[in-house]
Amino acid sequence: MTGFESTKRILVADDDPIFLDLFEASLAASSFEVVAVGDGAEAMLSLEAQPFDMAVIDVDMPIIDGVRLIALIRATPHLRTLPIVVITSMRSSRIKDECLRMGADDFMTKPVDWGLLAQRLEGVLGAGMTQVMQGSPAEGGPGRLPASSISSVS
């Protein structure tokens, strides 16, 4: 990390503690600070209580699943533009389409290429900053790109 980079806070929500440990370890040398939670309800509470630069969520979680969590995040005014990346073992195109339609910015499947994870997250953050700088529809700008215009790269 150079002196010009700022730390980005990421909330990662997954009910698999091994995945959470691997996620944190893979980003240990990067410019990311990772806060890990084990379910969708805990994720939403954390997002409402603390500022984050991105949320990384699984689809299949207890209490609030990932698709519902995306909808809740997008319905919360101060979280509406928060970049969301879905990382899941569910490979169904229906699940991918639903997550992107609900407002996810990217979709990845497990197993994760840990060597490319930081680069992939930086790419989503960079795209999100461009959208925020352009403004939201309420501010007279175009706001977030529609989910249908975002392609996933594996």
Side-chain angles (χ1 to χ4, degrees), residues 19 22 87-91 108-114 117 120 154:
F19 175 83
L22 289 170
I87 301 179
T88 184
S89 59
M90 302 175 98
R91 297 180 178 272
M108 300 168 60
T109 55
K110 297 174 185 175
V112 172
D113 183 340
W114 298 111
L117 180 63
R120 185 84 175 256
S154 295

Side-chain angles (χ1 to χ4, degrees), residues 24-108:
E24 288 183 273
S26 74
L27 296 179
S30 71
S31 62
F32 295 111
E33 174 190 345
V34 176
V35 175
V37 297
D39 63 63
E42 192 177 355
M44 197 63 201
L45 288 173
S46 295
L47 288 168
E48 290 176 333
Q50 306 171 49
F52 288 94
D53 297 295
M54 172 184 285
V56 175
I57 62 175
D58 186 17
V59 172
D60 189 19
M61 293 186 291
I63 306 174
I64 298 174
D65 69 34
V67 175
R68 178 78 179 125
L69 181 57
I70 295 168
L72 289 170
I73 292 168
R74 292 296 177 238
T76 304
H78 72 280
L79 298 174
R80 190 169 297 142
T81 60
L82 180 75
I84 300 171
V85 174
V86 174
I87 301 179
T88 184
S89 59
M90 302 175 98
R91 297 180 178 272
S92 159
S93 61
R94 182 187 61 77
I95 293 292
K96 177 181 177 181
D97 291 345
E98 186 173 10
C99 288
L100 294 174
R101 183 176 48 77
M102 294 304 292
D105 295 285
D106 199 0
F107 187 97
M108 300 168 60

